[in-house]
Amino acid sequence: MDLSNLLKPDAVKVLATVTSKKRLFQDLGDIAHSAYGLDAIQTVDALQEREALGPTGVGHGVALPHARLHGLDRVVGVFLRLEKPLDFDAVDRLPVDLIFALFAPKDSGVDHLKALALVSRTMRNAEVCTKLRANTDPAALHAVLTAAAGGVQAA
C-alpha cells in the first residue's frame, strides 16, 4: 500500500479560506464526491460522527480526519492545504493547515489501519510538511506526498 494508490491527483486541493470545521468537512465531502463518486452528505455525516469521538488534529498543523463508509471497495484519500490555518481542536491547540482525510469501506479492518498509519508517518515528517507548505500547486502537492510516501511503506 502506498499513497499513490490512496490519493488521486484530483483529490488534492488548496483552499484559500475555510471558516469552520463543519465547512471543512463539507469541502472534503464535495471533493470526495467529485474524485471518487462518494455521497457527499454521507461523507460529511461520517466525518462529523468520527470527530465527535475526539478531534483528529494530531498536532504541528496537521489533521487526519477519517471515516468508514458504505459503498467503498478500497481506502481512498483527500488532501487539503489551507492558505489560512483553521482552529481544529488539535492536541497541541495549534490551528491546522494540512488535512489528509481517509475514507475506508465500512467493513475494512487492517487496510484502514495500515492506510492511517502510512498517512500518519508521512505527515509526521517535518521535511514533507515544509515542502507541502511551500507549494500551492495541487499537482506539486500530490507529487510531494506520493514521492515522500515512497520511502514510507505500510507493512
Side-chain angles (χ1 to χ4, degrees), residues 15 17-31 44 47-48 51 56 63-65 78-82 84 86-88 96-101 103:
L15 299 179
T17 305
V18 177
T19 55
S20 67
K21 195 186 289 191
K22 182 178 181 179
R23 179 70 234 172
L24 173 72
F25 288 165
Q26 290 170 341
D27 290 335
L28 288 169
D30 291 344
I31 295 165
V44 171
L47 285 169
Q48 289 175 329
E51 198 71 17
T56 55
L64 305 175
V78 172
F79 177 81
L80 296 178
R81 180 188 171 283
L82 304 181
K84 182 178 182 249
L86 173 70
D87 181 24
F88 203 85
V96 302
D97 61 343
L98 302 176
I99 296 99
F100 199 124
F103 305 102

PDB file of all heavy atoms in Angstrom, residues 15 17-31 44 47-48 51 56 63-65 78-82 84 86-88 96-101 103:
ATOM      1  N   LEU A  15      -7.154  25.408  -0.550  1.00  0.00           N
ATOM      2  CA  LEU A  15      -8.305  26.261  -0.260  1.00  0.00           C
ATOM      3  C   LEU A  15      -7.826  27.540   0.418  1.00  0.00           C
ATOM      4  O   LEU A  15      -7.022  27.491   1.347  1.00  0.00           O
ATOM      5  CB  LEU A  15      -9.302  25.535   0.644  1.00  0.00           C
ATOM      6  CG  LEU A  15      -9.914  24.243   0.091  1.00  0.00           C
ATOM      7  CD1 LEU A  15     -10.863  23.633   1.112  1.00  0.00           C
ATOM      8  CD2 LEU A  15     -10.644  24.501  -1.215  1.00  0.00           C
ATOM      9  N   THR A  17      -9.680  29.997   2.127  1.00  0.00           N
ATOM     10  CA  THR A  17     -10.249  30.254   3.444  1.00  0.00           C
ATOM     11  C   THR A  17     -11.332  29.236   3.754  1.00  0.00           C
ATOM     12  O   THR A  17     -12.227  29.013   2.948  1.00  0.00           O
ATOM     13  CB  THR A  17     -10.886  31.660   3.502  1.00  0.00           C
ATOM     14  OG1 THR A  17      -9.909  32.620   3.119  1.00  0.00           O
ATOM     15  CG2 THR A  17     -11.364  31.983   4.907  1.00  0.00           C
ATOM     16  N   VAL A  18     -11.212  28.632   4.918  1.00  0.00           N
ATOM     17  CA  VAL A  18     -12.258  27.756   5.439  1.00  0.00           C
ATOM     18  C   VAL A  18     -12.612  28.329   6.801  1.00  0.00           C
ATOM     19  O   VAL A  18     -11.732  28.550   7.634  1.00  0.00           O
ATOM     20  CB  VAL A  18     -11.768  26.296   5.569  1.00  0.00           C
ATOM     21  CG1 VAL A  18     -12.840  25.427   6.187  1.00  0.00           C
ATOM     22  CG2 VAL A  18     -11.359  25.744   4.218  1.00  0.00           C
ATOM     23  N   THR A  19     -13.888  28.582   7.019  1.00  0.00           N
ATOM     24  CA  THR A  19     -14.306  29.319   8.207  1.00  0.00           C
ATOM     25  C   THR A  19     -14.593  28.458   9.436  1.00  0.00           C
ATOM     26  O   THR A  19     -14.631  28.964  10.544  1.00  0.00           O
ATOM     27  CB  THR A  19     -15.558  30.159   7.890  1.00  0.00           C
ATOM     28  OG1 THR A  19     -16.563  29.286   7.352  1.00  0.00           O
ATOM     29  CG2 THR A  19     -15.240  31.239   6.872  1.00  0.00           C
ATOM     30  N   SER A  20     -14.779  27.148   9.237  1.00  0.00           N
ATOM     31  CA  SER A  20     -15.102  26.280  10.378  1.00  0.00           C
ATOM     32  C   SER A  20     -14.783  24.830  10.034  1.00  0.00           C
ATOM     33  O   SER A  20     -14.617  24.478   8.864  1.00  0.00           O
ATOM     34  CB  SER A  20     -16.592  26.393  10.724  1.00  0.00           C
ATOM     35  OG  SER A  20     -17.380  25.844   9.681  1.00  0.00           O
ATOM     36  N   LYS A  21     -14.736  24.023  11.060  1.00  0.00           N
ATOM     37  CA  LYS A  21     -14.519  22.586  10.853  1.00  0.00           C
ATOM     38  C   LYS A  21     -15.677  21.988  10.056  1.00  0.00           C
ATOM     39  O   LYS A  21     -15.475  21.156   9.178  1.00  0.00           O
ATOM     40  CB  LYS A  21     -14.377  21.884  12.210  1.00  0.00           C
ATOM     41  CG  LYS A  21     -13.804  20.490  12.112  1.00  0.00           C
ATOM     42  CD  LYS A  21     -13.809  19.759  13.443  1.00  0.00           C
ATOM     43  CE  LYS A  21     -12.812  20.285  14.424  1.00  0.00           C
ATOM     44  NZ  LYS A  21     -12.655  19.384  15.599  1.00  0.00           N
ATOM     45  N   LYS A  22     -16.903  22.449  10.343  1.00  0.00           N
ATOM     46  CA  LYS A  22     -18.075  21.965   9.608  1.00  0.00           C
ATOM     47  C   LYS A  22     -17.941  22.275   8.119  1.00  0.00           C
ATOM     48  O   LYS A  22     -18.198  21.436   7.266  1.00  0.00           O
ATOM     49  CB  LYS A  22     -19.346  22.601  10.177  1.00  0.00           C
ATOM     50  CG  LYS A  22     -20.610  22.128   9.515  1.00  0.00           C
ATOM     51  CD  LYS A  22     -21.850  22.745  10.154  1.00  0.00           C
ATOM     52  CE  LYS A  22     -23.092  22.227   9.473  1.00  0.00           C
ATOM     53  NZ  LYS A  22     -24.313  22.785  10.071  1.00  0.00           N
ATOM     54  N   ARG A  23     -17.507  23.492   7.791  1.00  0.00           N
ATOM     55  CA  ARG A  23     -17.304  23.886   6.388  1.00  0.00           C
ATOM     56  C   ARG A  23     -16.195  23.045   5.757  1.00  0.00           C
ATOM     57  O   ARG A  23     -16.295  22.641   4.602  1.00  0.00           O
ATOM     58  CB  ARG A  23     -16.973  25.380   6.323  1.00  0.00           C
ATOM     59  CG  ARG A  23     -16.717  25.910   4.937  1.00  0.00           C
ATOM     60  CD  ARG A  23     -18.003  25.940   4.117  1.00  0.00           C
ATOM     61  NE  ARG A  23     -17.746  25.196   2.888  1.00  0.00           N
ATOM     62  CZ  ARG A  23     -18.638  24.869   1.981  1.00  0.00           C
ATOM     63  NH1 ARG A  23     -19.893  25.197   2.130  1.00  0.00           N
ATOM     64  NH2 ARG A  23     -18.310  24.206   0.906  1.00  0.00           N
ATOM     65  N   LEU A  24     -15.142  22.789   6.518  1.00  0.00           N
ATOM     66  CA  LEU A  24     -14.045  21.950   6.027  1.00  0.00           C
ATOM     67  C   LEU A  24     -14.569  20.562   5.668  1.00  0.00           C
ATOM     68  O   LEU A  24     -14.241  20.025   4.601  1.00  0.00           O
ATOM     69  CB  LEU A  24     -12.940  21.837   7.079  1.00  0.00           C
ATOM     70  CG  LEU A  24     -11.820  20.857   6.731  1.00  0.00           C
ATOM     71  CD1 LEU A  24     -10.937  21.413   5.615  1.00  0.00           C
ATOM     72  CD2 LEU A  24     -10.979  20.544   7.951  1.00  0.00           C
ATOM     73  N   PHE A  25     -15.389  19.982   6.536  1.00  0.00           N
ATOM     74  CA  PHE A  25     -15.934  18.657   6.255  1.00  0.00           C
ATOM     75  C   PHE A  25     -16.826  18.680   5.019  1.00  0.00           C
ATOM     76  O   PHE A  25     -16.843  17.727   4.236  1.00  0.00           O
ATOM     77  CB  PHE A  25     -16.689  18.107   7.466  1.00  0.00           C
ATOM     78  CG  PHE A  25     -15.799  17.700   8.614  1.00  0.00           C
ATOM     79  CD1 PHE A  25     -16.326  17.473   9.860  1.00  0.00           C
ATOM     80  CD2 PHE A  25     -14.434  17.548   8.449  1.00  0.00           C
ATOM     81  CE1 PHE A  25     -15.521  17.084  10.932  1.00  0.00           C
ATOM     82  CE2 PHE A  25     -13.610  17.169   9.507  1.00  0.00           C
ATOM     83  CZ  PHE A  25     -14.153  16.937  10.751  1.00  0.00           C
ATOM     84  N   GLN A  26     -17.570  19.770   4.810  1.00  0.00           N
ATOM     85  CA  GLN A  26     -18.387  19.891   3.595  1.00  0.00           C
ATOM     86  C   GLN A  26     -17.490  19.947   2.351  1.00  0.00           C
ATOM     87  O   GLN A  26     -17.790  19.306   1.340  1.00  0.00           O
ATOM     88  CB  GLN A  26     -19.279  21.133   3.683  1.00  0.00           C
ATOM     89  CG  GLN A  26     -20.380  20.978   4.704  1.00  0.00           C
ATOM     90  CD  GLN A  26     -21.122  22.280   4.992  1.00  0.00           C
ATOM     91  OE1 GLN A  26     -20.632  23.367   4.708  1.00  0.00           O
ATOM     92  NE2 GLN A  26     -22.308  22.155   5.571  1.00  0.00           N
ATOM     93  N   ASP A  27     -16.390  20.683   2.442  1.00  0.00           N
ATOM     94  CA  ASP A  27     -15.438  20.729   1.323  1.00  0.00           C
ATOM     95  C   ASP A  27     -14.847  19.343   1.063  1.00  0.00           C
ATOM     96  O   ASP A  27     -14.729  18.915  -0.086  1.00  0.00           O
ATOM     97  CB  ASP A  27     -14.316  21.735   1.601  1.00  0.00           C
ATOM     98  CG  ASP A  27     -14.795  23.178   1.553  1.00  0.00           C
ATOM     99  OD1 ASP A  27     -15.816  23.456   0.873  1.00  0.00           O
ATOM    100  OD2 ASP A  27     -14.153  24.032   2.191  1.00  0.00           O
ATOM    101  N   LEU A  28     -14.483  18.636   2.122  1.00  0.00           N
ATOM    102  CA  LEU A  28     -13.942  17.277   1.962  1.00  0.00           C
ATOM    103  C   LEU A  28     -14.978  16.364   1.310  1.00  0.00           C
ATOM    104  O   LEU A  28     -14.647  15.564   0.432  1.00  0.00           O
ATOM    105  CB  LEU A  28     -13.508  16.701   3.313  1.00  0.00           C
ATOM    106  CG  LEU A  28     -12.246  17.296   3.930  1.00  0.00           C
ATOM    107  CD1 LEU A  28     -12.085  16.834   5.375  1.00  0.00           C
ATOM    108  CD2 LEU A  28     -11.015  16.924   3.104  1.00  0.00           C
ATOM    109  N   GLY A  29     -16.243  16.482   1.733  1.00  0.00           N
ATOM    110  CA  GLY A  29     -17.318  15.676   1.138  1.00  0.00           C
ATOM    111  C   GLY A  29     -17.501  15.974  -0.337  1.00  0.00           C
ATOM    112  O   GLY A  29     -17.661  15.057  -1.154  1.00  0.00           O
ATOM    113  N   ASP A  30     -17.443  17.259  -0.703  1.00  0.00           N
ATOM    114  CA  ASP A  30     -17.585  17.647  -2.109  1.00  0.00           C
ATOM    115  C   ASP A  30     -16.431  17.107  -2.953  1.00  0.00           C
ATOM    116  O   ASP A  30     -16.644  16.609  -4.068  1.00  0.00           O
ATOM    117  CB  ASP A  30     -17.649  19.177  -2.243  1.00  0.00           C
ATOM    118  CG  ASP A  30     -18.932  19.770  -1.677  1.00  0.00           C
ATOM    119  OD1 ASP A  30     -19.906  19.010  -1.458  1.00  0.00           O
ATOM    120  OD2 ASP A  30     -18.948  20.996  -1.444  1.00  0.00           O
ATOM    121  N   ILE A  31     -15.221  17.205  -2.440  1.00  0.00           N
ATOM    122  CA  ILE A  31     -14.045  16.715  -3.186  1.00  0.00           C
ATOM    123  C   ILE A  31     -14.086  15.193  -3.289  1.00  0.00           C
ATOM    124  O   ILE A  31     -13.799  14.629  -4.350  1.00  0.00           O
ATOM    125  CB  ILE A  31     -12.743  17.208  -2.527  1.00  0.00           C
ATOM    126  CG1 ILE A  31     -12.664  18.739  -2.630  1.00  0.00           C
ATOM    127  CG2 ILE A  31     -11.524  16.559  -3.184  1.00  0.00           C
ATOM    128  CD1 ILE A  31     -11.627  19.372  -1.723  1.00  0.00           C
ATOM    129  N   VAL A  44     -19.830  13.653   4.829  1.00  0.00           N
ATOM    130  CA  VAL A  44     -19.791  14.704   5.855  1.00  0.00           C
ATOM    131  C   VAL A  44     -20.316  14.163   7.186  1.00  0.00           C
ATOM    132  O   VAL A  44     -19.703  14.377   8.242  1.00  0.00           O
ATOM    133  CB  VAL A  44     -20.594  15.941   5.408  1.00  0.00           C
ATOM    134  CG1 VAL A  44     -20.733  16.945   6.548  1.00  0.00           C
ATOM    135  CG2 VAL A  44     -19.940  16.587   4.200  1.00  0.00           C
ATOM    136  N   LEU A  47     -17.725  11.883   8.783  1.00  0.00           N
ATOM    137  CA  LEU A  47     -16.598  12.650   9.341  1.00  0.00           C
ATOM    138  C   LEU A  47     -16.997  13.311  10.665  1.00  0.00           C
ATOM    139  O   LEU A  47     -16.244  13.273  11.637  1.00  0.00           O
ATOM    140  CB  LEU A  47     -16.128  13.718   8.347  1.00  0.00           C
ATOM    141  CG  LEU A  47     -15.324  13.229   7.154  1.00  0.00           C
ATOM    142  CD1 LEU A  47     -15.162  14.345   6.132  1.00  0.00           C
ATOM    143  CD2 LEU A  47     -13.973  12.688   7.583  1.00  0.00           C
ATOM    144  N   GLN A  48     -18.186  13.897  10.700  1.00  0.00           N
ATOM    145  CA  GLN A  48     -18.647  14.563  11.923  1.00  0.00           C
ATOM    146  C   GLN A  48     -18.860  13.557  13.052  1.00  0.00           C
ATOM    147  O   GLN A  48     -18.526  13.823  14.205  1.00  0.00           O
ATOM    148  CB  GLN A  48     -19.917  15.361  11.651  1.00  0.00           C
ATOM    149  CG  GLN A  48     -19.647  16.585  10.800  1.00  0.00           C
ATOM    150  CD  GLN A  48     -20.906  17.336  10.407  1.00  0.00           C
ATOM    151  OE1 GLN A  48     -21.978  16.754  10.251  1.00  0.00           O
ATOM    152  NE2 GLN A  48     -20.766  18.645  10.224  1.00  0.00           N
ATOM    153  N   GLU A  51     -15.443  12.615  14.322  1.00  0.00           N
ATOM    154  CA  GLU A  51     -14.828  13.746  15.036  1.00  0.00           C
ATOM    155  C   GLU A  51     -15.453  13.927  16.414  1.00  0.00           C
ATOM    156  O   GLU A  51     -14.788  14.376  17.351  1.00  0.00           O
ATOM    157  CB  GLU A  51     -14.962  15.019  14.200  1.00  0.00           C
ATOM    158  CG  GLU A  51     -14.035  16.115  14.603  1.00  0.00           C
ATOM    159  CD  GLU A  51     -12.572  15.876  14.270  1.00  0.00           C
ATOM    160  OE1 GLU A  51     -12.258  15.002  13.428  1.00  0.00           O
ATOM    161  OE2 GLU A  51     -11.719  16.567  14.854  1.00  0.00           O
ATOM    162  N   THR A  56      -9.370  14.951  15.488  1.00  0.00           N
ATOM    163  CA  THR A  56      -8.362  14.254  14.686  1.00  0.00           C
ATOM    164  C   THR A  56      -7.214  15.182  14.292  1.00  0.00           C
ATOM    165  O   THR A  56      -6.428  14.857  13.415  1.00  0.00           O
ATOM    166  CB  THR A  56      -9.006  13.631  13.429  1.00  0.00           C
ATOM    167  OG1 THR A  56      -9.690  14.654  12.708  1.00  0.00           O
ATOM    168  CG2 THR A  56      -9.968  12.516  13.803  1.00  0.00           C
ATOM    169  N   ALA A  63      -4.069  17.630  10.478  1.00  0.00           N
ATOM    170  CA  ALA A  63      -5.276  16.915  10.892  1.00  0.00           C
ATOM    171  C   ALA A  63      -5.463  15.712   9.977  1.00  0.00           C
ATOM    172  O   ALA A  63      -5.190  15.781   8.777  1.00  0.00           O
ATOM    173  CB  ALA A  63      -6.504  17.817  10.827  1.00  0.00           C
ATOM    174  N   LEU A  64      -5.914  14.616  10.562  1.00  0.00           N
ATOM    175  CA  LEU A  64      -6.141  13.373   9.818  1.00  0.00           C
ATOM    176  C   LEU A  64      -7.569  12.868  10.048  1.00  0.00           C
ATOM    177  O   LEU A  64      -7.779  11.792  10.615  1.00  0.00           O
ATOM    178  CB  LEU A  64      -5.128  12.299  10.255  1.00  0.00           C
ATOM    179  CG  LEU A  64      -3.649  12.676  10.156  1.00  0.00           C
ATOM    180  CD1 LEU A  64      -2.771  11.572  10.722  1.00  0.00           C
ATOM    181  CD2 LEU A  64      -3.273  12.985   8.726  1.00  0.00           C
ATOM    182  N   PRO A  65      -8.571  13.626   9.593  1.00  0.00           N
ATOM    183  CA  PRO A  65      -9.942  13.133   9.745  1.00  0.00           C
ATOM    184  C   PRO A  65     -10.139  11.858   8.926  1.00  0.00           C
ATOM    185  O   PRO A  65      -9.522  11.697   7.864  1.00  0.00           O
ATOM    186  CB  PRO A  65     -10.794  14.282   9.220  1.00  0.00           C
ATOM    187  CG  PRO A  65      -9.903  15.100   8.365  1.00  0.00           C
ATOM    188  CD  PRO A  65      -8.504  14.894   8.881  1.00  0.00           C
ATOM    189  N   VAL A  78      -8.233  12.246   0.545  1.00  0.00           N
ATOM    190  CA  VAL A  78      -8.344  13.618   0.050  1.00  0.00           C
ATOM    191  C   VAL A  78      -7.332  14.442   0.844  1.00  0.00           C
ATOM    192  O   VAL A  78      -7.278  14.335   2.073  1.00  0.00           O
ATOM    193  CB  VAL A  78      -9.760  14.189   0.261  1.00  0.00           C
ATOM    194  CG1 VAL A  78      -9.803  15.680  -0.079  1.00  0.00           C
ATOM    195  CG2 VAL A  78     -10.787  13.426  -0.564  1.00  0.00           C
ATOM    196  N   PHE A  79      -6.544  15.253   0.144  1.00  0.00           N
ATOM    197  CA  PHE A  79      -5.581  16.117   0.819  1.00  0.00           C
ATOM    198  C   PHE A  79      -5.926  17.580   0.556  1.00  0.00           C
ATOM    199  O   PHE A  79      -6.176  17.965  -0.587  1.00  0.00           O
ATOM    200  CB  PHE A  79      -4.149  15.858   0.350  1.00  0.00           C
ATOM    201  CG  PHE A  79      -3.164  16.790   0.999  1.00  0.00           C
ATOM    202  CD1 PHE A  79      -2.705  16.539   2.279  1.00  0.00           C
ATOM    203  CD2 PHE A  79      -2.730  17.935   0.346  1.00  0.00           C
ATOM    204  CE1 PHE A  79      -1.832  17.421   2.910  1.00  0.00           C
ATOM    205  CE2 PHE A  79      -1.857  18.821   0.958  1.00  0.00           C
ATOM    206  CZ  PHE A  79      -1.400  18.562   2.246  1.00  0.00           C
ATOM    207  N   LEU A  80      -5.934  18.372   1.623  1.00  0.00           N
ATOM    208  CA  LEU A  80      -6.170  19.805   1.510  1.00  0.00           C
ATOM    209  C   LEU A  80      -5.041  20.576   2.175  1.00  0.00           C
ATOM    210  O   LEU A  80      -4.596  20.213   3.271  1.00  0.00           O
ATOM    211  CB  LEU A  80      -7.477  20.212   2.198  1.00  0.00           C
ATOM    212  CG  LEU A  80      -8.771  19.666   1.639  1.00  0.00           C
ATOM    213  CD1 LEU A  80      -9.945  20.150   2.477  1.00  0.00           C
ATOM    214  CD2 LEU A  80      -8.950  20.085   0.195  1.00  0.00           C
ATOM    215  N   ARG A  81      -4.610  21.631   1.511  1.00  0.00           N
ATOM    216  CA  ARG A  81      -3.691  22.595   2.106  1.00  0.00           C
ATOM    217  C   ARG A  81      -4.467  23.887   2.241  1.00  0.00           C
ATOM    218  O   ARG A  81      -5.014  24.397   1.262  1.00  0.00           O
ATOM    219  CB  ARG A  81      -2.463  22.818   1.236  1.00  0.00           C
ATOM    220  CG  ARG A  81      -1.474  23.813   1.827  1.00  0.00           C
ATOM    221  CD  ARG A  81      -0.377  24.115   0.805  1.00  0.00           C
ATOM    222  NE  ARG A  81       0.467  25.190   1.207  1.00  0.00           N
ATOM    223  CZ  ARG A  81       0.170  26.487   1.146  1.00  0.00           C
ATOM    224  NH1 ARG A  81      -1.011  26.869   0.717  1.00  0.00           N
ATOM    225  NH2 ARG A  81       1.037  27.398   1.507  1.00  0.00           N
ATOM    226  N   LEU A  82      -4.571  24.384   3.467  1.00  0.00           N
ATOM    227  CA  LEU A  82      -5.296  25.620   3.714  1.00  0.00           C
ATOM    228  C   LEU A  82      -4.327  26.790   3.714  1.00  0.00           C
ATOM    229  O   LEU A  82      -3.291  26.733   4.377  1.00  0.00           O
ATOM    230  CB  LEU A  82      -6.024  25.559   5.065  1.00  0.00           C
ATOM    231  CG  LEU A  82      -6.984  24.393   5.290  1.00  0.00           C
ATOM    232  CD1 LEU A  82      -7.627  24.502   6.664  1.00  0.00           C
ATOM    233  CD2 LEU A  82      -8.038  24.332   4.198  1.00  0.00           C
ATOM    234  N   LYS A  84      -5.073  29.683   4.950  1.00  0.00           N
ATOM    235  CA  LYS A  84      -5.259  30.301   6.274  1.00  0.00           C
ATOM    236  C   LYS A  84      -5.570  29.171   7.261  1.00  0.00           C
ATOM    237  O   LYS A  84      -6.612  28.523   7.151  1.00  0.00           O
ATOM    238  CB  LYS A  84      -6.407  31.310   6.226  1.00  0.00           C
ATOM    239  CG  LYS A  84      -6.632  32.018   7.536  1.00  0.00           C
ATOM    240  CD  LYS A  84      -7.744  33.046   7.405  1.00  0.00           C
ATOM    241  CE  LYS A  84      -7.918  33.770   8.713  1.00  0.00           C
ATOM    242  NZ  LYS A  84      -9.146  33.461   9.388  1.00  0.00           N
ATOM    243  N   LEU A  86      -6.801  26.792  10.278  1.00  0.00           N
ATOM    244  CA  LEU A  86      -8.118  26.693  10.897  1.00  0.00           C
ATOM    245  C   LEU A  86      -7.997  26.083  12.287  1.00  0.00           C
ATOM    246  O   LEU A  86      -7.292  25.086  12.470  1.00  0.00           O
ATOM    247  CB  LEU A  86      -9.002  25.790  10.020  1.00  0.00           C
ATOM    248  CG  LEU A  86     -10.381  25.398  10.536  1.00  0.00           C
ATOM    249  CD1 LEU A  86     -11.314  26.607  10.537  1.00  0.00           C
ATOM    250  CD2 LEU A  86     -10.966  24.294   9.663  1.00  0.00           C
ATOM    251  N   ASP A  87      -8.708  26.658  13.261  1.00  0.00           N
ATOM    252  CA  ASP A  87      -8.762  26.057  14.590  1.00  0.00           C
ATOM    253  C   ASP A  87      -9.459  24.703  14.453  1.00  0.00           C
ATOM    254  O   ASP A  87     -10.548  24.610  13.891  1.00  0.00           O
ATOM    255  CB  ASP A  87      -9.524  26.967  15.548  1.00  0.00           C
ATOM    256  CG  ASP A  87      -9.586  26.383  16.951  1.00  0.00           C
ATOM    257  OD1 ASP A  87      -8.709  25.570  17.309  1.00  0.00           O
ATOM    258  OD2 ASP A  87     -10.518  26.722  17.690  1.00  0.00           O
ATOM    259  N   PHE A  88      -8.818  23.663  14.965  1.00  0.00           N
ATOM    260  CA  PHE A  88      -9.325  22.307  14.753  1.00  0.00           C
ATOM    261  C   PHE A  88      -9.401  21.511  16.060  1.00  0.00           C
ATOM    262  O   PHE A  88      -9.568  20.309  16.051  1.00  0.00           O
ATOM    263  CB  PHE A  88      -8.399  21.597  13.745  1.00  0.00           C
ATOM    264  CG  PHE A  88      -9.046  20.455  13.009  1.00  0.00           C
ATOM    265  CD1 PHE A  88      -9.782  20.682  11.861  1.00  0.00           C
ATOM    266  CD2 PHE A  88      -8.898  19.157  13.453  1.00  0.00           C
ATOM    267  CE1 PHE A  88     -10.372  19.623  11.178  1.00  0.00           C
ATOM    268  CE2 PHE A  88      -9.477  18.094  12.777  1.00  0.00           C
ATOM    269  CZ  PHE A  88     -10.219  18.334  11.634  1.00  0.00           C
ATOM    270  N   VAL A  96      -4.702  24.129  12.172  1.00  0.00           N
ATOM    271  CA  VAL A  96      -4.208  23.201  11.147  1.00  0.00           C
ATOM    272  C   VAL A  96      -4.274  23.843   9.766  1.00  0.00           C
ATOM    273  O   VAL A  96      -5.147  24.658   9.480  1.00  0.00           O
ATOM    274  CB  VAL A  96      -4.978  21.863  11.146  1.00  0.00           C
ATOM    275  CG1 VAL A  96      -4.896  21.177  12.498  1.00  0.00           C
ATOM    276  CG2 VAL A  96      -6.413  22.039  10.731  1.00  0.00           C
ATOM    277  N   ASP A  97      -3.300  23.468   8.936  1.00  0.00           N
ATOM    278  CA  ASP A  97      -3.305  23.915   7.545  1.00  0.00           C
ATOM    279  C   ASP A  97      -3.076  22.767   6.575  1.00  0.00           C
ATOM    280  O   ASP A  97      -3.190  22.932   5.375  1.00  0.00           O
ATOM    281  CB  ASP A  97      -2.282  25.033   7.309  1.00  0.00           C
ATOM    282  CG  ASP A  97      -0.856  24.609   7.592  1.00  0.00           C
ATOM    283  OD1 ASP A  97      -0.633  23.583   8.272  1.00  0.00           O
ATOM    284  OD2 ASP A  97       0.065  25.317   7.144  1.00  0.00           O
ATOM    285  N   LEU A  98      -2.749  21.586   7.091  1.00  0.00           N
ATOM    286  CA  LEU A  98      -2.561  20.396   6.259  1.00  0.00           C
ATOM    287  C   LEU A  98      -3.548  19.338   6.724  1.00  0.00           C
ATOM    288  O   LEU A  98      -3.498  18.886   7.870  1.00  0.00           O
ATOM    289  CB  LEU A  98      -1.128  19.875   6.377  1.00  0.00           C
ATOM    290  CG  LEU A  98      -0.007  20.849   6.006  1.00  0.00           C
ATOM    291  CD1 LEU A  98       1.358  20.224   6.278  1.00  0.00           C
ATOM    292  CD2 LEU A  98      -0.118  21.299   4.558  1.00  0.00           C
ATOM    293  N   ILE A  99      -4.453  18.945   5.841  1.00  0.00           N
ATOM    294  CA  ILE A  99      -5.501  17.977   6.183  1.00  0.00           C
ATOM    295  C   ILE A  99      -5.435  16.814   5.210  1.00  0.00           C
ATOM    296  O   ILE A  99      -5.522  17.008   3.995  1.00  0.00           O
ATOM    297  CB  ILE A  99      -6.909  18.623   6.128  1.00  0.00           C
ATOM    298  CG1 ILE A  99      -7.039  19.714   7.188  1.00  0.00           C
ATOM    299  CG2 ILE A  99      -7.992  17.579   6.349  1.00  0.00           C
ATOM    300  CD1 ILE A  99      -6.844  21.072   6.675  1.00  0.00           C
ATOM    301  N   PHE A 100      -5.271  15.625   5.746  1.00  0.00           N
ATOM    302  CA  PHE A 100      -5.295  14.420   4.915  1.00  0.00           C
ATOM    303  C   PHE A 100      -6.428  13.547   5.445  1.00  0.00           C
ATOM    304  O   PHE A 100      -6.323  12.958   6.518  1.00  0.00           O
ATOM    305  CB  PHE A 100      -3.970  13.668   4.996  1.00  0.00           C
ATOM    306  CG  PHE A 100      -3.756  12.715   3.849  1.00  0.00           C
ATOM    307  CD1 PHE A 100      -2.629  12.828   3.056  1.00  0.00           C
ATOM    308  CD2 PHE A 100      -4.673  11.725   3.546  1.00  0.00           C
ATOM    309  CE1 PHE A 100      -2.409  11.961   1.994  1.00  0.00           C
ATOM    310  CE2 PHE A 100      -4.477  10.861   2.485  1.00  0.00           C
ATOM    311  CZ  PHE A 100      -3.333  10.981   1.710  1.00  0.00           C
ATOM    312  N   ALA A 101      -7.533  13.513   4.709  1.00  0.00           N
ATOM    313  CA  ALA A 101      -8.705  12.735   5.111  1.00  0.00           C
ATOM    314  C   ALA A 101      -8.670  11.367   4.444  1.00  0.00           C
ATOM    315  O   ALA A 101      -8.299  11.252   3.275  1.00  0.00           O
ATOM    316  CB  ALA A 101      -9.980  13.466   4.715  1.00  0.00           C
ATOM    317  N   PHE A 103     -10.956   7.753   3.760  1.00  0.00           N
ATOM    318  CA  PHE A 103     -12.273   7.125   3.736  1.00  0.00           C
ATOM    319  C   PHE A 103     -12.081   5.649   3.435  1.00  0.00           C
ATOM    320  O   PHE A 103     -11.426   5.297   2.460  1.00  0.00           O
ATOM    321  CB  PHE A 103     -13.154   7.793   2.676  1.00  0.00           C
ATOM    322  CG  PHE A 103     -13.257   9.282   2.886  1.00  0.00           C
ATOM    323  CD1 PHE A 103     -12.510  10.155   2.115  1.00  0.00           C
ATOM    324  CD2 PHE A 103     -14.067   9.794   3.884  1.00  0.00           C
ATOM    325  CE1 PHE A 103     -12.581  11.521   2.325  1.00  0.00           C
ATOM    326  CE2 PHE A 103     -14.145  11.160   4.108  1.00  0.00           C
ATOM    327  CZ  PHE A 103     -13.396  12.026   3.328  1.00  0.00           C
TER     328      PHE A 103
END
